[in-house]
Amino acid sequence: MHICFATSEAVPFAKTGGLADVCGALPREIAALGHAVSLVMPAYRGIFHRGEVIQSTGIELQIPVGGKVVTAEVLTSHLPDSDAVVYFIRQDDYFDRDGVYGEHGVDYEDNCERFVFFSRAVLQLIQQVPLDVDLLHIHDWTTGLIPAYLKIEAAACDRLSRIASLLTVHNLAYQGTFWHWDMLLTGIDWKYFNWQQMEFHGDLNLLKTGLVFTDAINTVSPSYAEEIQSAPLGCGLEAVLRDRRSVLSGIINGVDYTTWDPAEDRYLATPYSAENYGEGKRICKRALQREFGLQLAPDRPLIGFVGRLASQKGFDLTFPVMQAWAERQDVQWVILGTGDKTLEKQLQQLAEENPGRIGVVIDFSEPLAHRIEAGADLFLMPSEYEPCGLNQLYSLKYGTLPVVHETGGLADTVVGASEETLAAGTATGFSFDAYDRAELAKTLEQALALYADRPDLWKQMIEAAMQQDWSWRKSATRYLALYEQTIARHNATVLTT
Ligand code: ADP
């Protein structure tokens, strides 16, 4: 098979979120499994400063955008340590900028035009190189137009008509909605601007367009694939998703265990593995308590959080519990994050009022994130919704038991402690169903009680957690099966039409 990824971000070239991690890791795994892989992305300013060799191909593209024709140059490179070929679409007016989607929290005004251009350029590139693509794996709203072009315009082109498409939704909350006159930029006939195809409450919606026209859809966890078929997590597109449920599935993202493995982690005070985690975690916990200025209390349970300080991450539950428990001597907190400015200030103030018990660092720090994953006893992730989530997967590997709201990828990857799961030896964390602060407090109490009273069960849970395998290899195998299924379905419909 030849799988072509079209994406607005991929590690190591451009990253604003988890999408970049998926598009950096999955193509490499698919290539390692013996398939031809290419990846197409915009040539942002930042790609030239990542230390990778980028060459010209000599290929020039002429792309119609609205009433004009825009020229692009095609550059090429490889994903690190991989045969996966990367093609960059270089058009400096659109992409030679500091940001990917915007700057200082404000989206670029011409985002629709930029990604209309990019979507058309991907298809033009496939024809001009040429690439014998079997399936285009597209991601989120920025590539949502591609399936529409494939279905509407490619009937006249053999090479394009044989290409199947799979759209992965990483977060349904971002849809790429633009005012209706941007239809003119797409070059697609106005007859498709209707509520069943490209229109959404009077606007042009690029994610909806992709969902309607693509051959298959997946999200980054099976539970999220279910949840988005109804309100509120369907974000207005629940009916479209229900309509397409026969081709909708979920595959959990993988973890890059070359970066996230306590046995090989260069950021830790000491490495440790499933064989010697007792001593290893004790050393890492002491180092973390010291780093955050907390009391050096080896037996006091330490709750950690790393992530964006955004409402999605559950701080409307966490912060009141932290406040209510601030006086408690029997628990410590470490928080690392950036985001909501009010929350940043509130957390810093709470830490100042409770030195020795609550530590807060407002920063984005990969090394510190590793040290929290290793040194904490419990890892907090009570997200309101979570398409997949990575931190809970890291914390399992580090033997730091996750406390999660049962939603999306959190529900799919953490087995909450209950009488049954503890008896069966399958519990790997603590979980609650209703998104409610009393439920979070109750679940934390359950965890603290187990920590204090049942060291045998605590040990059993850590060992079960550390044994989990959420590697990319497993997810890539599932993607391969989905690619094959989607290509077969596409070929069957092409033959019958
Ligand atoms: P999301 O993509 O919604 O932000 P995920 O859990 O899927 O959440 O992935 C977030 C990633 O970003 C994780 O690797 C996490 O460790 C990292 N991260 C988020 N905030 C910080 C921070 N302040 N410092 C270091 N790493 C962070």
Side-chain angles (χ1 to χ4, degrees), residues 378-399:
L378 289 164
F379 194 91
L380 198 55
M381 224 163 149
S383 308
E384 188 176 5
Y385 71 95
E386 195 61 78
C388 176
L390 286 171
N391 279 312
Q392 85 279 13
L393 300 178
Y394 305 152
S395 75
L396 290 171
K397 184 75 178 168
Y398 283 67

Side-chain angles (χ1 to χ4, degrees), residues 2 26 100 123 201 206 226 232 273 288 293 305 320 368 395 407 417 497:
H2 181 152
L26 181 59
V100 171
L123 298 179
H201 299 291
L206 299 191
E226 284 299 316
S273 66
L288 187 64
F305 171 90
L368 194 46
S395 75
T407 181
T497 50

Side-chain angles (χ1 to χ4, degrees), residues 12-139:
F13 299 107
K15 171 167 173 168
T16 73
L19 162 64
D21 293 314
V22 175
C23 288
L26 181 59
R28 290 168 57 188
E29 288 293 339
I30 300 293
L33 289 166
H35 298 275
V37 175
S38 50
L39 183 146
V40 190
M41 65 181 287
Y44 306 109
R45 182 178 295 168
I47 68 160
F48 300 104
H49 310 293
R50 296 287 184 270
E52 308 295 330
V53 178
I54 297 176
Q55 293 171 319
S56 173
T57 59
I59 296 172
E60 193 184 279
L61 309 175
Q62 305 283 334
I63 308 298
V65 181
K68 58 188 175 186
V69 174
V70 182
T71 305
E73 184 191 348
V74 179
L75 310 177
T76 188
S77 183
H78 277 85
L79 286 179
D81 308 317
S82 167
D83 292 335
V85 183
V86 180
Y87 294 101
F88 297 102
I89 308 287
R90 180 169 197 173
Q91 211 303 322
D92 286 351
D93 290 342
Y94 291 139
F95 302 123
D96 183 25
R97 305 181 186 183
D98 282 337
V100 171
Y101 311 110
E103 286 169 46
H104 315 297
V106 181
D107 284 348
Y108 293 129
E109 271 187 7
D110 57 350
N111 268 349
C112 187
E113 181 170 341
R114 295 168 80 224
F115 289 103
V116 164
F117 165 80
F118 176 67
S119 299
R120 276 196 179 280
V122 170
L123 298 179
Q124 191 61 38
L125 177 143
I126 289 172
Q127 293 173 84
Q128 271 182 248
V129 171
L131 300 175
D132 246 335
V133 174
D134 295 296
L135 181 136
L136 252 165
H137 189 171
I138 62 171
H139 301 267

Side-chain angles (χ1 to χ4, degrees), residues 115-186:
F115 289 103
V116 164
F117 165 80
F118 176 67
S119 299
R120 276 196 179 280
V122 170
L123 298 179
Q124 191 61 38
L125 177 143
I126 289 172
Q127 293 173 84
Q128 271 182 248
V129 171
L131 300 175
D132 246 335
V133 174
D134 295 296
L135 181 136
L136 252 165
H137 189 171
I138 62 171
H139 301 267
D140 286 349
W141 69 267
T142 51
T143 49
L145 282 169
I146 288 180
Y149 289 130
L150 279 176
K151 288 260 158 59
I152 297 168
E153 295 192 345
C157 173
D158 256 6
R159 185 177 294 282
L160 295 186
S161 65
R162 61 178 288 267
I163 300 178
S165 59
L166 168 67
L167 168 58
T168 299
V169 179
H170 296 261
N171 190 336
L172 200 68
Y174 302 96
Q175 299 185 2
T177 48
F178 302 96
W179 77 326
H180 62 285
W181 287 114
D182 280 347
M183 264 307 276
L184 294 172
L185 293 171
T186 69

Side-chain angles (χ1 to χ4, degrees), residues 44 69 74 90 105 134 206 277 286 341 350 356 371 418 441 465 482 490:
Y44 306 109
V69 174
V74 179
R90 180 169 197 173
D134 295 296
L206 299 191
Y277 70 85
R286 193 176 168 81
K341 296 296 160 208
L350 196 63
R371 291 198 280 274
S418 66
L482 181 56
H490 177 81

Side-chain angles (χ1 to χ4, degrees), residues 93-380:
D93 290 342
Y94 291 139
F95 302 123
D96 183 25
R97 305 181 186 183
D98 282 337
V100 171
Y101 311 110
E103 286 169 46
H104 315 297
V106 181
D107 284 348
Y108 293 129
E109 271 187 7
D110 57 350
N111 268 349
C112 187
E113 181 170 341
R114 295 168 80 224
F115 289 103
V116 164
F117 165 80
F118 176 67
S119 299
R120 276 196 179 280
V122 170
L123 298 179
Q124 191 61 38
L125 177 143
I126 289 172
Q127 293 173 84
Q128 271 182 248
V129 171
L131 300 175
D132 246 335
V133 174
D134 295 296
L135 181 136
L136 252 165
H137 189 171
I138 62 171
H139 301 267
D140 286 349
W141 69 267
T142 51
T143 49
L145 282 169
I146 288 180
Y149 289 130
L150 279 176
K151 288 260 158 59
I152 297 168
E153 295 192 345
C157 173
D158 256 6
R159 185 177 294 282
L160 295 186
S161 65
R162 61 178 288 267
I163 300 178
S165 59
L166 168 67
L167 168 58
T168 299
V169 179
H170 296 261
N171 190 336
L172 200 68
Y174 302 96
Q175 299 185 2
T177 48
F178 302 96
W179 77 326
H180 62 285
W181 287 114
D182 280 347
M183 264 307 276
L184 294 172
L185 293 171
T186 69
I188 293 175
D189 195 298
W190 277 104
K191 75 177 181 196
Y192 294 101
F193 191 74
N194 63 69
W195 68 274
Q196 287 176 306
Q197 292 177 304
M198 300 176 75
E199 186 244 359
F200 184 71
H201 299 291
D203 283 330
L204 168 63
N205 184 316
L206 299 191
L207 183 65
K208 176 174 175 176
T209 303
L211 295 173
V212 168
F213 285 97
T214 191
D215 291 311
I217 303 162
N218 86 305
T219 67
V220 288
S221 69
S223 286
Y224 191 58
E226 284 299 316
E227 291 163 353
I228 58 177
Q229 293 178 48
S230 28
L233 295 191
C235 301
L237 294 179
E238 50 273 8
V240 179
L241 289 155
R242 271 201 305 275
D243 202 43
R244 302 231 59 203
R245 65 175 169 263
S246 63
V247 295
L248 170 60
S249 59
I251 299 178
I252 287 281
N253 289 336
V255 173
D256 179 0
Y257 285 132
T258 59
T259 308
W260 292 95
D261 177 358
E264 311 265 338
D265 194 326
R266 63 199 164 97
Y267 297 123
L268 305 189
T270 181
Y272 63 90
S273 66
E275 282 69 53
N276 66 352
Y277 70 85
E279 181 60 11
K281 279 189 76 68
R282 233 186 327 275
I283 294 170
C284 289
K285 180 170 177 177
R286 193 176 168 81
L288 187 64
Q289 287 172 324
R290 185 170 287 125
E291 190 166 1
F292 274 85
L294 304 182
Q295 288 147 11
L296 301 182
D299 297 327
R300 190 139 342 138
L302 176 52
I303 303 172
F305 171 90
V306 179
R308 290 183 291 121
L309 300 177
S311 62
Q312 182 207 330
K313 298 296 173 183
F315 263 90
D316 44 344
L317 308 191
T318 303
F319 190 69
V321 173
M322 288 180 75
Q323 272 182 315
W325 288 15
E327 302 292 315
R328 281 179 64 158
Q329 298 296 323
D330 62 344
V331 59
Q332 296 182 332
W333 305 78
V334 291
I335 308 284
L336 168 66
T338 56
D340 184 292
K341 296 296 160 208
T342 312
L343 189 55
E344 286 181 357
K345 283 206 190 76
Q346 287 174 325
L347 282 166
Q348 276 173 316
Q349 195 184 339
L350 196 63
E352 276 160 29
E353 289 164 3
N354 297 280
R357 289 198 304 274
I358 299 180
V360 171
V361 169
I362 302 299
D363 190 11
F364 191 100
S365 163
E366 177 113 8
L368 194 46
H370 284 245
R371 291 198 280 274
I372 293 175
E373 290 286 2
D377 296 297
L378 289 164
F379 194 91
L380 198 55

